[in-house]
Amino acid sequence: MNGRQLNRLVGEKSDSNISRSVMIRTLIALTFGLSVSACTPNSPDVATPPSGGAAPSGTAPAASGTSSSLSGAGASFPAPLYQRWFQDYNKTNPGTQISYQSVGSGAGVEQFLAGTVDFGATDAPLKPEERAKFKAKYGAEPIQVPMTGGSVVFAYNLDGVKDLKLSRAAYCGIAGGKITKWNDPAIAKANPGAKLPDQTIQFIHRSDGSGTTYQFTTHLKAACGAGWTAGANKSVSWPVGTGAKGNEGVAAQIQQTPSSIGYVEYSYGKQANLAMAAIENKSGKLIAPSPESGAEAFVGEKVPADLALTVADSANPKAYPISGLTWLLLYPQSKDAAKQTALKGVIDWSLTTGKATATELGYVPLEAGLVTKVKEELNKVK
């Protein structure tokens, strides 16, 4: 990605198959260095809710253990990047250790609201009802800061087909269950000469509450019109397909399932060496996913005061259309000031020194103006 583009960014089958699925999931998790679990983080330094009574105004639950040991949980979308950031930061700041559990945005928000982590992570901005729940418990507004951007891609496993192209009619039809065969005319039209088989499309989607699903379905709602009726949320009632947990699980399921297609964050597709389709954007252009085309989706977009920028369907002809930001969720105040100081240091380092790592892994670093806004928001953390 060149500097100009960065600066323009604002902002279950047979037993054998089951065994193979487990093996693939394990390999992918090892590749990313992630700890994939649906449980509350097992760090010895997890924050714990007050034993009784109302929490002090704007104060996160008290924490035990060393003040420089932090635990977070949430979105799998940015998990490979967070893991690298936290490991690299620890190398130069050995007094600060950060554990991160890739449990999905839905679980991340729940744990943040419950006060069982030092920070949460989500690919979907907090809903009004979630903010109200936080304020009722802690007496202050939650803080959410964007950390990076990325794209949600259509990764596929189709023998003999490279450089798949999907028109809006095609990908809306696949996700909506209206297009069920790979040789459907809507797919064939954009892929002249491709040997599309007369096989059933196996659509893979998330089974857990997911910010990646939120970004994906927000786009489908905007782009597909009457062709998409399931709405936009972290969890939806899917018209078709098979579910898998986490971006890790979806990537593994696509890898092991012939004739499949599903949605994952770009870096997962890249790391798993999955084929990824070019898709039609709002301007009618077929755009392949990349950090550069993902960055284009944010060009000219105004960042709201709460930094909850979402772009459902960019009008930029150069933009890959399913792109979004991902946020950390922070408590405005903690009984452990040293932890808050350490967390702010990690965030500041990640957004500056860590930019090169974001680009390396296929994410979109925040441009300087948005980084400034994040630092201003961090001033509210005490």
Side-chain angles (χ1 to χ4, degrees):
M1 179 183 300
N2 61 46
R4 179 177 300 176
Q5 288 168 314
L6 290 181
N7 289 334
R8 289 163 64 190
L9 170 62
V10 288
E12 272 155 296
K13 302 178 181 179
S14 69
D15 291 341
S16 61
N17 284 339
I18 292 175
S19 298
R20 188 176 179 212
S21 176
V22 171
M23 178 184 70
I24 294 172
R25 288 169 186 257
T26 301
L27 289 173
I28 289 179
L30 288 173
T31 299
F32 291 141
L34 302 178
S35 175
V36 182
S37 170
C39 303
T40 299
N42 57 9
S43 164
D45 196 31
V46 173
T48 55
S51 57
S57 177
T59 304
S64 61
T66 60
S67 62
S68 59
S69 179
L70 303 166
S71 67
S76 63
F77 182 105
L81 177 58
Y82 288 175
Q83 203 74 7
R84 270 285 301 277
W85 272 347
F86 300 157
Q87 290 172 353
D88 290 349
Y89 184 82
N90 176 254
K91 291 176 183 177
T92 55
N93 299 271
T96 301
Q97 296 181 344
I98 313 102
S99 67
Y100 182 75
Q101 299 287 324
S102 173
V103 295
S105 295
V109 171
E110 289 176 1
Q111 293 186 30
F112 173 70
L113 294 177
T116 57
V117 288
D118 296 312
F119 62 91
T122 179
D123 305 323
L126 290 172
K127 300 177 181 179
E129 57 268 31
E130 293 168 338
R131 300 185 71 93
K133 184 176 180 179
F134 183 94
K135 189 172 183 178
K137 182 170 183 176
Y138 300 109
E141 292 289 341
I143 296 172
Q144 59 182 8
V145 292
M147 294 299 291
T148 191
S151 298
V152 180
V153 305
F154 281 92
Y156 65 96
N157 179 350
L158 192 60
D159 189 40
V161 178
K162 296 182 179 180
D163 302 319
L164 180 69
K165 300 174 180 62
L166 295 175
S167 66
R168 293 212 154 187
Y171 71 74
C172 288
I174 291 171
K178 302 296 193 304
I179 293 178
T180 61
K181 294 284 188 177
W182 277 111
N183 62 349
D184 187 282
I187 301 176
K189 184 178 180 180
N191 297 274
K195 296 181 180 179
L196 298 169
D198 183 19
Q199 294 177 359
T200 299
I201 296 171
Q202 307 295 328
F203 182 67
I204 314 296
H205 58 74
R206 290 286 287 272
S207 60
D208 54 328
S210 156
T212 306
T213 297
Y214 169 81
Q215 292 183 2
F216 183 68
T217 57
T218 295
H219 172 74
L220 294 181
K221 183 178 179 181
C224 301
W228 180 252
T229 60
N233 213 329
K234 285 179 284 192
S235 295
V236 299
S237 180
W238 291 98
V240 68
T242 301
K245 186 176 180 181
N247 272 289
E248 307 93 333
V250 173
Q253 193 74 12
I254 293 170
Q255 273 192 328
Q256 69 150 348
T257 308
S259 299
S260 66
I261 189 168
Y263 63 94
V264 295
E265 196 277 326
Y266 174 83
S267 70
Y268 284 85
K270 178 182 177 182
Q271 292 291 336
N273 199 30
L274 293 172
M276 295 177 274
I279 65 174
E280 183 183 358
N281 66 15
K282 192 172 185 177
S283 299
K285 306 294 184 180
L286 286 164
I287 305 294
S290 70
E292 292 80 5
S293 60
E296 292 286 350
F298 303 96
V299 172
E301 299 290 341
K302 184 178 179 179
V303 181
D306 63 358
L307 307 186
L309 173 65
T310 57
V311 184
D313 191 20
S314 174
N316 184 349
K318 298 179 181 179
Y320 180 82
I322 318 180
S323 300
L325 299 178
T326 188
W327 295 261
L328 287 187
L329 304 175
L330 312 176
Y331 301 97
Q333 189 173 347
S334 172
K335 292 181 180 179
D336 193 330
K339 278 197 170 193
Q340 297 289 69
T341 298
L343 182 55
K344 288 196 286 185
V346 172
I347 295 172
D348 182 87
W349 180 93
S350 298
L351 295 177
T352 52
T353 304
K355 274 192 172 186
T357 301
T359 302
E360 174 194 337
L361 296 183
Y363 293 89
V364 179
L366 305 186
E367 58 83 35
L370 188 51
V371 170
T372 297
K373 291 178 182 293
V374 170
K375 290 183 177 182
E376 291 171 353
E377 197 71 6
L378 287 179
N379 289 332
K380 301 177 181 179
V381 176
K382 304 298 182 183

